[in-house]
Amino acid sequence: MNDQPAPVLFRMPIALRWRDLDAFNHVNNSNFLTYLEEARIRWFDSLDEEWVTERTAPLLAAVQINYRRPIPYPASVMVELSCERLGSSSVTITHRILSEDGATLYADGHVVMVWVERASGRPTPLPDAVRRAAGG
């Protein structure tokens, strides 16, 4: 078993907004997912190659998140993405939400993204740009 963490593929800072807070004065758990979604889309866009087309698109197939600590306000956080697994039509992306200095882990986990044909909803091969960027 490999205990080495996967290399970080993408890092994105996020400044918290007042509206992200809940009644307990920390970031609402649903916003964690928004931060992760924004980081994934920014990573895909940073590839400067086609990752979505009129014919194919990625779908979120699974989400797993461990809430480790509440995120206080005000703060800035850092989202880190790594590749856990490459499949023929999917990629499993691990994620971490950390304090800006990296000292505090607020959340970790992974998502599975599956590329599908828009018309049929059937899986289609993972775009070459995503495969290369993820280390495949």
Side-chain angles (χ1 to χ4, degrees), residues 47-67:
L47 303 180
D48 288 330
E49 291 184 64
E50 206 168 67
W51 58 274
V52 63
T53 68
E54 288 185 22
R55 193 178 69 75
T56 65
L59 291 180
L60 186 65
V63 175
Q64 191 274 324
I65 187 167
N66 303 304
Y67 296 98

Side-chain angles (χ1 to χ4, degrees), residues 109-127:
H110 66 267
V111 298
V112 178
M113 302 293 298
V114 177
W115 266 256
V116 299
E117 291 183 6
R118 292 177 187 247
S120 69
R122 303 287 304 153
T124 190
L126 194 64

Side-chain angles (χ1 to χ4, degrees), residues 5-70:
V8 173
L9 300 173
F10 188 77
R11 283 186 178 92
M12 186 179 105
I14 296 178
L16 305 183
R17 303 163 301 183
W18 176 256
R19 68 177 291 246
D20 294 346
L21 304 182
D22 61 17
F24 301 108
N25 208 33
H26 59 255
V27 174
N28 184 277
N29 60 45
S30 64
N31 286 311
F32 284 55
L33 296 169
T34 301
Y35 301 159
L36 298 171
E37 175 185 54
E38 185 70 24
R40 285 192 310 273
I41 296 302
R42 296 279 181 104
W43 175 54
F44 292 144
D45 279 345
S46 77
L47 303 180
D48 288 330
E49 291 184 64
E50 206 168 67
W51 58 274
V52 63
T53 68
E54 288 185 22
R55 193 178 69 75
T56 65
L59 291 180
L60 186 65
V63 175
Q64 191 274 324
I65 187 167
N66 303 304
Y67 296 98
R68 303 294 184 181
R69 295 185 62 124

Side-chain angles (χ1 to χ4, degrees), residues 64-123:
Q64 191 274 324
I65 187 167
N66 303 304
Y67 296 98
R68 303 294 184 181
R69 295 185 62 124
I71 302 175
Y73 182 89
S76 290
V77 296
M78 183 68 64
V79 177
E80 292 184 346
L81 304 178
S82 301
C83 178
E84 182 177 309
R85 180 185 174 281
L86 283 169
S88 59
S89 62
S90 66
V91 59
T92 301
I93 301 168
T94 58
H95 51 243
R96 297 187 334 147
I97 301 175
L98 304 152
S99 57
E100 197 170 34
D101 65 3
T104 304
L105 175 64
Y106 296 117
D108 60 5
H110 66 267
V111 298
V112 178
M113 302 293 298
V114 177
W115 266 256
V116 299
E117 291 183 6
R118 292 177 187 247
S120 69
R122 303 287 304 153

